[in-house]
Every structure is written in C-alpha cells, then in structure tokens.
Amino acid sequence: MPPSPFRGPLAAAFAPALDAAPLARLLRAPDDALPVAPATDRAVWGPAGTADRVTVGGTADRVTVDDVAARARAERGTPWPLPRAATAVRRWRDGDRSEHEALVFARTRRVSRAVVAAAATAGTPDADAALDEAVDGLWQLCEQSSWCWPAHDDTFERHGAVVPTVTDPFLDLGAGEVAAQLAWADQLLGPLLDDRWPGVRARLRHETRVRVVDPFVTRRDWHWIGLDGDPHNWNPWIHGNVLAAALRLLDGPGEEALRAHVVALVVEGLDRYVAGLPADGAVDEGFHYWWNGAGRTLEALELLAHATAGRLDAATTVPALRETVAFPHRVHLGGPWHLNVADGPARGSADTAWAALHRAARHVGDRDAEAHAAAHRVPGAPVASEAEGLGRLLRTLTDAAWAAARPGASPLPRDVWLPSVQVRVARERTGAGDGLTLTVKGGHNGEHHNHLDVGSFVVASDGVPVLVDAGRPTYTAATFGPDRYTLWPLQSAWHNVPLVAGATQGVGRGFRATAVEPLLDGAAGGLALDLATAYPSPGLRAWRRAAVLTRGPRPRVEVRDAWELGADDVGAGGADPGAWPGTGPGSGSGSGTGTGSGPRTAVHLLAAGEVTLHDGGAVVVPLDGATPVRLAWPADVPASTTVRELDDPLLSAVWGGHLTRIELDVTGRRDVVVTVVAVPADVSADVSTDVPAGVDGDVRRVGQDAPAIAEESR
C-alpha cells in the first residue's frame, strides 16, 4: 500500500481552500499559470521608444534585457558548449566533476540568453535569427542524453554503467533545472514557436514528461523527498522546478488530472521541508545554501500562490516561513560578507538572487529583510543575470518594485540568537557596520553539509571577517563520500576550535555542544558552551568555552577556554569543569599539572589577511581595508603560524592567496584567554611600528590540493 499522505504546516494552511474545491479547479490554465507575460505581449517585452514625445515601450527592465540580448547576439553562430561522454565519465575515473558541469552550465546559460533575446527582438528584423538561436539551444537540451549531473546519477549502482541510462533517468537538481527552463522558455516563446517552429513545443513536453514528470510520479523513494524525516535543500529546489514544469507543460488532452496530481505531490513534498523548518527560520547549511533551500521554498510557494490566484498561499500564515525571510540579514556581517557555516563561502556571489528575497520580504511584510535585499541593488545595473536560472531571471526582469529599489543600509541587528542551530551574532551596536562583530556556533557534527566546527567562532572588523571559517573547496567525488573529512577546510584542525591531546572533533550527530547558554547582557553578548562531547577523547571531562563581545568605550572580544583532561591524557589540568572559563579557581594562572610532553593540546585561530606574530599576541591586517586587529594571549603560551596557500579558485576568490592558522600550544595548561581589539587609529596606518621587531614566530607554509567544481548541494 502507498504511504499515507504527509500532513504538515502546508496541509493545515491549505485545508480550507482544498475542502472547498478540488486542486484541479483551483489551478489557473497552463498558459496563465506562470507569472510572466509571453513575448507577444509587447507592453512588457517591446523595445523602448518615444511616441508623441512620451517614452513608451515594454515594462521589462530594459538595461537587463539589452545586456542579455547583446551577449546572445555576440555569440550567435559560434559553437555551442558540448558536454561529452569523456567529460561525464571523469566523475567515476578521477573524481573530477567540474569539467562536465561547467559545459552543462555554459550551455543552459546560453539557452537562457537566447530565449530572452528572442523575446526582446520579436517583431524586429532580427526576430527570426534570434528565435532560431533559441530553438537551437532548446533542441540541444532535448538531444542531451541526460539532464542529470553525473555526480548525482545512480546509473552505476543500478545498472553498472558509467554513462547515463536513458531508459531510467535520475531526477536530480540538474534534471529539475532543465525541466523548469523549458517550461519558462515555453511560457515566453510559445506563440512564436507555434508560428515558426511547429513541433518544437511538443518535443519539449515529451522530454520533460519522460525525464522528469514520469520518474517523479512513479518512483517515490527519491532521497531528497525526505521520507526519512530529514529533508535537505534538494527538496524545495527540485520540487519548485517540477512545479513550474507541471503547471506549464502538462497541458495536453487528458493531462488535467495528472497535472493536479503532480502539483499535489509537490505540495506534499514541500510540506516535509517546511515541517522541518525551525521556529526561528534558521537553516544549518548557512547563508549560502539558504538560497537553494528555504529561499527556493519561498519561491515555489509564491509560484503556487500565483497558479491558484492566491487561494493557496502559506508564506504569510506559517510562522517559520515568515521567520526564514529574516535569516539572510540576521547572519550578515557587513557589505558582501555573511557568516558562513558548513559548505558556504563567506563572501556573497554576484548572482545571488536578491530580487527573490525582496519579493518574499514584501509579501510577508518584513521591512528589514526588504531593506537588506535592496542594499544589494545597484541602480542602473542589470537587475539579474542568466546565472540565476531562467525562471529567476524572467521573474526579476518583470519585477518593477525590484528595478525601482534604491540601496540603503542593511539592518545589522545588534544581537541575534538562533537556538535551532545554536548560532549567536553580536555586534557593537544596531545598524553599525564598523567595529567588531562576533559570531559563535554550537550545534553538532551531523548537520547538512557539515564541517567539524562545533564551538567555532568568527570575528569581523568593520564587517570583514578576520578570524574566519574557510568555507568549502571545489566539489569533487570525494566531497560527499567516506573521504569527505580528508579535505582540510572541513576538518576541525582548520577551524577556530581546540586540538585536544592530539584529537580533532568526531563525525556525527553525537559529537555536539552541550550546556549551551547565550549571553544576552546589553553590555556584552556572546555564547557559552561545553565542547567536550564534540571530541572522541575519553579523558576530556570538560572544555568550557565562552566567547564574548564586550561593548562600551573600549570594545573587545574575549574567548575564554577552560578544560579538564583526565589522568590518561597528557596535559591534564585542574580547572573546575562546572565553572565558566575565566571564573574558576586558578583563572588566568597558566599553571597546570600536565608534563607538557606527548600529544599536544592547542587552540587554533584561522586568520584572513596579513598576520604578524609577536610575543603574547599578533596583529592582523584584514582584507578590504578593514581596521586591523590585535590579538593577545598569555605571554608564556608558545605560538606559531602555518600559512595555507590557496590554489582552489573557490577559496582564493574569497580569501586571496592564503590563510594563516595561529596555533597556541596550551599543553599542560588548564585555561587560556584570547582577546581581540581594534588597533588604535594612531597606529593603524603602520601596524608594524606596534610590533616588536624581529619576532616572526615559527612560520610554515602548506600547499593545497584542490580539484574543481560546480555549484550544487547535498
């Protein structure tokens, strides 16, 4: 028997409307179900001009349309990107997935450019050539053996094949993206295709039905649905794309019931994801993956609300959905920088879909989230790009409110506490990008896209991370397999957490923070927690960490660690395991009962920028011209640095050529305090004058082996 339908927050929100009428009757007709006008509507897509000295023309953002169309025109007649069997098979042979995915992405983005250009030039002398180019691209997608990205395909496990099994297509992110792209292209160009290319629209529908719709309906064990109770960001990403495809392309005779059935399955699948959204709206995958998880959920529900003329609209009624709209600005550090946890980069990318956040914020009435999105709008620049996907591009091109948005200040809340993910953000004052910002996370080591980072913290100066989380390297076959934690950026040894008697943090949900307590005093803000359970060290009785930002005339960040190691662990200390760091007996004494030999215990600090080490501290000159900071620790703590060269393009694009790990050897101690302050203005111009000459510490350089990538999830 099939499982009973899942009933979560969406089912409850939609029950009144669905009790009144069946879903099939609530859905708009296919040609009106996607919220974008066809190219034949010249009031939207027509070229700008003047009539009777009054500016007339289409309402689609002209700067963006002209930019996309010009690039499409320039590449017309050149060879199309060609994904090949030789590029696809590399995923199995040497683990490289990026070469093939880069070709796939280049092709789909060129198709999107061609589709927009065809809409923009309809009715002009260039119309036929532009439409032919678009059809060439759409046809190539139909001819492509598989829409699934090779890294996701289960063809080897099911069939022993290293090339796609076309009779058993795998529905992944890539397949969903292409199905939605065909749907949005059909919505835009449908009447033009009927006139010049009869039969093409039927081919788009056939391929979508065979590769996406039928597998979605018949194979209900897809891991991304979340039948195990743990849906991740693939769920809304794929469901949202299937929804777009079903609404537009299931329009044939006798497909009305199938269309409604697919939409019902999409709603049930999305409901599983929404049910897992915590009350505070946070996601453990962090800012970067919010856009392809909770953000995609909001977009899918927006599409569903349009397709039902507002009768199925959950964003304003489900509290977790309203809260998740605020997540991006709650983890904002300043400018392009956001707190990165898990596999996300700290610096936002140029193709971040800010317009989608702006629409969601307007819909739920979150003015702070709306302001944060608008802060990233550049007046006079294109409103979006094809890198965001055709659906997002078309929605943004026709969003007059986003085109008119003017950038202002991001809200930058002074204090944020997200209990579901145990993330704390504290800055000196509300709305201020300057000064110090502290973020701390607890959590566990079984999170989505997990890094071994329980208890890690980030310190930013003027909104720019100084003590940092490296983020993720290029994805390869190793990234999501048993070798995941052989990658250095994922290891606890390269996060701002301790090394305990030679042990790094363990993998799995059981390795977690305990005794987590947010510090919410107005004069200071931070997080206290115990890290002992995060380590597979049986002799570690406690590792109490308190990371605190003290506000006032002399703001500073203090990270206070106190620990107790058992007799079996070299370097055992005698601190009271129940006392907070810096408050127990012997606080700050630096004394201990360990011998100082054997496995080391160390506190690691990963710094971005230029680091100058001196006795009892260091000065870090951050990126982006931010105010330098001075680090201080007890003078008798040995310190050294390891410079990690960055030859992975994803990491170097964020941090430049290197990161520097500062290693404080606290073997034999029982506590340590690290303090971070901004360097006073009178020495910030030349911090070297404030550092003892000739003291550089023990500096080692480490290279990085980094294979290559595509943007993705899991």
Side-chain angles (χ1 to χ4, degrees):
M1 294 180 60
S4 300
F6 181 83
R7 298 189 62 82
L10 296 186
F14 296 158
L18 292 174
D19 288 344
L23 180 57
R25 284 176 50 196
L26 295 181
L27 295 175
R28 293 178 188 258
D31 60 0
D32 193 34
L34 299 187
V36 169
T40 50
D41 186 345
R42 303 315 286 166
V44 176
W45 296 104
T50 59
D52 296 328
R53 291 180 289 186
V54 176
T55 300
V56 296
T59 57
D61 184 73
R62 183 50 48 183
V63 171
T64 311
V65 170
D66 289 348
D67 172 70
V68 173
R71 288 185 286 118
R73 190 179 306 111
E75 63 193 351
R76 194 183 302 162
T78 64
W80 282 78
L82 180 63
R84 307 183 311 280
T87 58
V89 78
R90 291 192 64 186
R91 176 260 184 269
W92 284 274
R93 289 184 176 169
D94 62 13
D96 186 288
R97 50 185 287 179
S98 66
E99 182 184 11
H100 188 82
E101 289 179 2
L103 292 166
V104 168
F105 298 158
R107 172 181 279 183
T108 56
R109 290 172 182 177
R110 180 167 171 178
V111 171
S112 293
R113 290 191 292 272
V115 166
V116 171
T121 58
T124 73
D126 196 37
D128 289 350
L131 185 62
D132 291 353
E133 169 81 354
V135 170
D136 275 349
L138 295 170
W139 192 257
Q140 287 188 60
L141 293 179
C142 291
E143 292 288 299
Q144 194 170 299
S145 291
S146 175
W147 295 343
C148 173
W149 301 340
H152 302 156
D153 204 339
D154 65 355
T155 183
F156 186 80
E157 290 78 7
R158 290 168 69 92
H159 304 287
V162 295
V163 293
T165 303
V166 296
T167 55
D168 187 17
F170 190 91
L171 177 49
D172 77 324
L173 299 174
E177 280 287 294
V178 174
Q181 184 176 29
L182 299 186
W184 288 103
D186 185 87
Q187 171 69 15
L188 190 63
L189 302 181
L192 305 180
L193 295 175
D194 284 339
D195 288 344
R196 184 169 174 82
W197 286 97
V200 166
R201 299 183 74 190
R203 179 70 186 279
L204 304 185
R205 283 156 174 74
H206 170 77
E207 297 298 341
T208 301
R209 177 77 183 262
V210 169
R211 299 172 188 240
V212 171
V213 174
D214 289 348
F216 177 70
V217 171
T218 59
R219 181 176 171 182
R220 300 305 298 158
D221 64 344
W222 299 108
H223 69 81
W224 43 265
I225 293 176
L227 299 178
D228 60 356
D230 186 30
H232 49 77
N233 71 319
W234 280 35
N235 175 305
W237 194 344
I238 295 175
H239 278 116
N241 282 328
V242 170
L243 177 63
L247 289 173
R248 172 64 269 191
L249 300 179
L250 292 180
D251 59 355
E255 288 188 325
E256 182 183 61
L258 174 62
R259 182 173 182 252
H261 179 55
V262 171
V263 173
L265 290 177
V266 165
V267 171
E268 181 181 340
L270 289 171
D271 208 359
R272 293 180 183 274
Y273 185 86
V274 174
L277 269 181
D280 58 20
V283 294
D284 60 4
E285 295 169 295
F287 168 81
H288 178 74
Y289 280 100
W290 180 91
W291 298 93
N292 286 327
R296 295 274 185 180
T297 303
L298 294 168
E299 290 178 275
L301 293 175
E302 176 191 26
L303 183 56
L304 182 66
H306 172 83
T308 58
R311 284 169 287 188
L312 299 185
D313 185 356
T316 58
T317 59
V318 176
L321 291 171
R322 292 179 58 89
E323 287 297 315
T324 201
V325 174
F327 182 74
H329 75 258
R330 287 173 174 165
V331 295
H332 184 212
L333 298 177
W337 299 96
H338 290 74
L339 171 64
N340 62 312
V341 297
D343 272 351
R347 191 193 292 267
S349 64
D351 57 0
T352 300
W354 291 110
L357 175 61
H358 197 258
R359 287 198 311 275
R362 299 191 322 253
H363 185 56
V364 304
D366 189 327
R367 301 300 293 273
D368 282 346
E370 183 180 344
H372 184 54
H376 295 82
R377 171 78 178 102
V378 180
V383 296
S385 81
E386 65 278 8
E388 299 172 27
L390 182 58
R392 280 177 165 174
L393 175 59
L394 296 181
R395 291 289 286 116
T396 306
L397 277 172
T398 54
D399 184 350
W402 174 247
R406 292 296 176 263
S410 289
L412 295 171
R414 190 190 72 170
D415 290 290
V416 173
W417 169 234
L418 300 170
S420 69
V421 290
Q422 298 180 349
V423 166
R424 179 77 169 90
V425 181
R427 70 182 83 246
E428 291 186 30
R429 55 197 173 278
T430 299
D434 60 334
L436 296 175
T437 301
L438 168 70
T439 74
V440 198
K441 80 171 292 287
H444 58 81
N445 281 331
E447 296 164 346
H448 299 114
H449 289 96
N450 182 70
H451 288 200
L452 304 179
D453 61 355
V454 173
S456 190
F457 63 92
V458 167
V459 176
S461 173
D462 300 337
V464 179
V466 182
L467 298 180
V468 309
D469 183 316
R472 71 153 168 93
T474 293
Y475 282 161
T476 69
T479 309
F480 299 108
D483 297 328
R484 177 173 175 82
Y485 295 105
T486 64
L487 305 174
W488 70 265
L490 282 62
Q491 299 168 1
S492 67
W494 288 93
H495 284 82
N496 296 325
V497 297
L499 175 75
V500 180
T504 55
Q505 292 189 3
V507 178
R509 193 180 187 92
F511 295 94
R512 67 191 192 281
T514 60
V516 179
E517 180 182 339
L519 308 177
L520 299 169
D521 186 344
L527 190 68
L529 63 172
D530 194 320
L531 310 185
T533 307
Y535 290 83
S537 302
L540 179 61
R541 297 191 181 94
W543 190 293
R544 301 288 273 170
R545 164 166 283 186
V548 180
L549 168 67
T550 301
R551 304 177 175 106
R554 300 184 64 186
R556 66 189 183 278
V557 169
E558 289 184 342
V559 180
R560 310 169 192 149
D561 287 317
W563 57 93
E564 181 178 0
L565 287 165
D568 293 337
D569 292 274
V570 176
D576 175 5
W580 286 112
T583 63
S587 172
S589 67
S591 62
T593 59
T595 65
S597 60
R600 277 194 320 132
T601 296
V603 170
H604 289 156
L605 308 169
L606 188 63
E610 297 305 317
V611 178
T612 305
L613 197 65
H614 60 84
D615 287 338
V619 171
V620 184
V621 180
L623 306 174
D624 292 359
T627 301
V629 300
R630 185 194 317 281
L631 314 180
W633 49 79
D636 62 339
V637 171
S640 61
T641 58
T642 301
V643 176
R644 170 66 73 168
E645 305 287 359
L646 303 179
D647 57 7
D648 185 305
L650 290 187
L651 294 170
S652 61
V654 177
W655 306 116
H658 67 276
L659 291 169
T660 302
R661 184 177 66 186
I662 303 170
E663 300 139 2
L664 307 182
D665 189 342
V666 295
T667 308
R669 296 179 65 90
R670 59 190 180 190
D671 56 33
V672 69
V673 179
V674 175
T675 303
V676 184
V677 297
V679 173
D682 58 345
V683 297
S684 62
D686 182 9
V687 296
S688 64
T689 62
D690 203 51
V691 179
V695 182
D696 293 322
D698 170 23
V699 179
R700 290 167 283 139
R701 288 191 173 264
V702 180
Q704 177 194 352
D705 296 325
I709 163 115
E711 173 62 24
E712 173 275 317
S713 210
R714 173 82 174 107

